[in-house]
Structures are given as C-alpha cells and as structure tokens.
Amino acid sequence: MHITVIIPYYNESETILSTLESLYVQTRKPENIFLVDSGSTDDTSAKIERWIRDKNAVYFKQLFSGEMSPSSSINMGIKKTNDDIIAYIDCGLTIPKDWLKTSEDIMISSRSDIVSSSIFTKGVSLIDKSFIAQTYGIENNTICLPGSLIKKSVFNKIGYLIEAVRSGYDVDFINKVNGDGSISGIIDSFYKPLHYKY
C-alpha cells in the first residue's frame, strides 16, 4: 500500500519544524507528504522550503490551497494523490515514530478501510470546554480524525470533507462513514495516540 500524509497549515511557524522532524523519523516512510498552505502570512512556507532542501526530503511537497480553511486544504491533498491510503495530521503534534507502521499493520490485519484512535474530550479552560462541547460533546469518547489512516476509496465513495470550514468537517465525515454500512473501521484503544503540544 502507498500512503500520502496531508498536513494543512496556517501560520505554524512555531510548530512546523517539530512536526516535520517527527514525520521524517517515522519507521515506515510514507510515499508522499503534502504540506498544504491555507493562506499563511508568516514564514512557515519558507521554513518548510529550507527544511526540505536541507534534508533532501523529496517526498515532502508543498502545495498552496488558496483557501483559508483546513478542510479545503485536506481535500486538495486527497485529490492530488494517487496513493491508496490517506492520513492527515495537524501541526503541533508529537507523533510516535511507529505511527504509520502500527496503523498500516492494523489496517492490513483487520482488513479495515479506516484505522483510528479515540480521544477523550475534556478541555482545560471555559473556552476550550465551550468549543469541545459544541463540536464533540464534553467528556466524551470520540473518534479522532487527525492521525487516522483512511483508504482513498472511502472518499471516492462517500465524498470529501465539507469545503471551506475551519471546524466540524471531521464530525460530519465520521457521521457519513457511520451512515454507510459497507465501510469497515477499527478504533484501536491500545494504540498510542498522537498528543498535542500546548
């Protein structure tokens, strides 16, 4: 199987290099990594360009979306790839070195269309809790789309993410997957999840 990792970014100058490094050291290298600029106004794109050149990491490719939304940027990456599997992650994540290898092994052994892990939604501040409550529900176990591996055939079957939105596209996508009885998925509760850095 061939894998494309998609990373939408918008003004991620502070976090982009750690994200790139953690992808670069994966035990299972993806065939492509698409870094999709959602209209950044800082020096994120220049940092990515220098990093790719310095590492000679030719499978890291920059794309410009022109849309200032993560959903449109992810969709652009999905449409551009010819690989079998799509994975997308957010910037600012600490990614375990065996993320892709473990996820691909699970996908193959379980014959699943989607491999994901679940998160427990909690929130720290009142603002966090407010946003989480509206999107996922407060103190709720839910599927986490960033970090998932999804066969491209799933997108071909049920469609892409909602265009031009900053949030809610993952919940909508999961609802569409759950509504289609022919898509098989697995949530591996033993799999070490990705962690956000705050």
Side-chain angles (χ1 to χ4, degrees):
M1 291 192 291
H2 290 181
I3 299 174
T4 290
V5 177
I6 301 169
I7 309 166
Y9 69 89
Y10 176 78
N11 292 348
E12 296 288 349
S13 182
E14 297 296 316
T15 62
I16 194 65
L17 294 180
S18 62
T19 303
L20 294 172
E21 286 292 339
S22 64
L23 283 169
Y24 188 67
V25 299
Q26 286 293 302
T27 55
R28 193 278 192 217
K29 306 286 189 229
E31 280 63 36
N32 290 291
I33 294 177
F34 291 166
L35 297 130
V36 189
D37 185 354
S38 299
S40 292
T41 56
D42 68 359
D43 65 342
T44 307
S45 295
K47 281 187 174 183
I48 292 169
E49 205 172 289
R50 279 192 305 274
W51 185 91
I52 291 172
R53 187 180 58 243
D54 292 347
K55 295 281 189 182
N56 194 25
V58 294
Y59 59 101
F60 285 73
K61 298 171 179 70
Q62 282 198 83
L63 306 172
F64 180 70
S65 165
E67 290 282 339
M68 291 183 66
S69 77
S71 63
S72 297
S73 296
I74 296 163
N75 284 342
M76 179 188 188
I78 295 167
K79 292 171 188 174
K80 288 248 182 214
T81 188
N82 294 318
D83 292 334
D84 314 300
I85 308 296
I86 308 294
Y88 101 84
I89 61 166
D90 294 328
C91 291
L93 294 175
T94 302
I95 306 166
K97 284 184 179 184
D98 62 345
W99 163 56
L100 277 179
K101 171 104 174 71
T102 302
S103 298
E104 184 182 38
D105 289 349
I106 292 168
M107 181 171 267
I108 292 166
S109 66
S110 66
R111 298 182 181 182
S112 294
D113 298 312
I114 299 172
V115 172
S116 190
S117 56
S118 64
I119 58 170
F120 182 72
T121 58
K122 189 169 150 182
V124 179
S125 69
L126 184 58
I127 293 171
D128 286 343
K129 290 178 182 179
S130 172
F131 283 127
I132 288 168
Q134 291 177 49
T135 307
Y136 300 105
I138 199 74
E139 296 191 357
N140 185 27
N141 280 309
T142 187
I143 295 171
C144 181
L145 209 50
S148 300
L149 264 62
I150 305 168
K151 289 186 178 173
K152 189 169 181 185
S153 59
V154 171
F155 295 102
N156 295 336
K157 183 171 188 176
I158 65 170
Y160 297 97
L161 306 176
I162 301 170
E163 283 285 333
V165 295
R166 295 210 63 77
S167 64
Y169 55 88
D170 49 351
V171 174
D172 176 74
F173 182 77
I174 291 163
N175 288 339
K176 286 194 285 190
V177 167
N178 288 337
D180 187 305
S182 66
I183 298 170
S184 65
I186 184 165
I187 302 169
D188 183 8
S189 57
F190 300 103
Y191 176 58
K192 183 180 177 184
L194 308 179
H195 296 286
Y196 283 92
K197 282 185 181 175
Y198 292 107

